[in-house]
Each structure stands twice: as C-alpha cells, then as structure tokens.
Amino acid sequence: GTSLCTDKSVPAVVIKGLAEHKVALGAPLCPCRFYEDKEAEAKDGYWNCPCVPMRERHECHCMLFLTEDNPFAGSEQEIGYDEVVDFSKGMS
C-alpha cells in the first residue's frame, strides 16, 4: 500500500494539477514535469497518472503515492476535496 506525504500541501497541489490536466487535456498528465507538447504527452500516456514508473516500479516522483519506507510517508491514505482546495490556494 501507499500513503500520502506528511505535508498534505504536496498531494493537494499534485491532485489539483492532475484534475486541471484531466479537464484541459482529457488525461491526468503528471503536473510535476515540463512538457514541450502537453497534448502529445497526454496522448502518449507514459506520464499519465499513475505513470509508467509508478505502475512498473512503484516510484512516484510527485510524492503522491509513498511507500511506508519513504521518510516523507504519513499515516493517511485519503485527502478530501476541501483539503485539496485549502492546501492548494494560490497555486497555479
């Protein structure tokens, strides 16, 4: 299993970015990377969440899915909508 980062602003910002990409691009493209062409990357699917590194090796560079051996892993596995909104205020 995985858990969220102890600093809930981290998953909140990632989730907000994923949601924005889902609306704009039709896919939850990882918001933690730079893309020359977001539309092409979304269609390719490699960096759509959960990305290939996460699916294959359980490596989440966004710190959204943390294994228990990660020093930043908290005990919580859920974050609510209101928390996402509150923690991601001012982030674009």
Side-chain angles (χ1 to χ4, degrees):
T2 62
S3 60
L4 298 173
C5 182
T6 54
D7 178 353
K8 282 194 143 178
S9 67
V10 172
V13 171
V14 173
I15 290 168
K16 180 180 182 212
L18 289 169
E20 289 172 349
H21 283 165
K22 177 72 174 166
V23 170
L25 303 169
L29 184 65
C30 175
C32 302
R33 303 185 61 81
F34 172 77
Y35 308 99
E36 291 289 333
D37 184 342
K38 286 183 181 182
E39 290 80 11
E41 291 288 348
K43 286 180 185 172
D44 177 52
Y46 187 91
W47 291 113
N48 291 344
C49 188
C51 65
V52 171
M54 180 60 199
R55 291 186 301 236
E56 292 181 354
R57 299 183 302 277
H58 304 285
E59 296 172 0
C60 180
H61 64 272
C62 296
M63 295 181 58
L64 183 58
F65 303 107
L66 299 177
T67 54
E68 63 184 32
D69 61 336
N70 187 303
F72 297 102
S75 58
E76 296 188 55
Q77 295 179 322
E78 296 180 11
I79 186 169
Y81 173 79
D82 291 336
E83 290 177 290
V84 170
V85 171
D86 288 342
F87 284 118
S88 64
K89 282 184 181 167
M91 303 286 183
S92 298

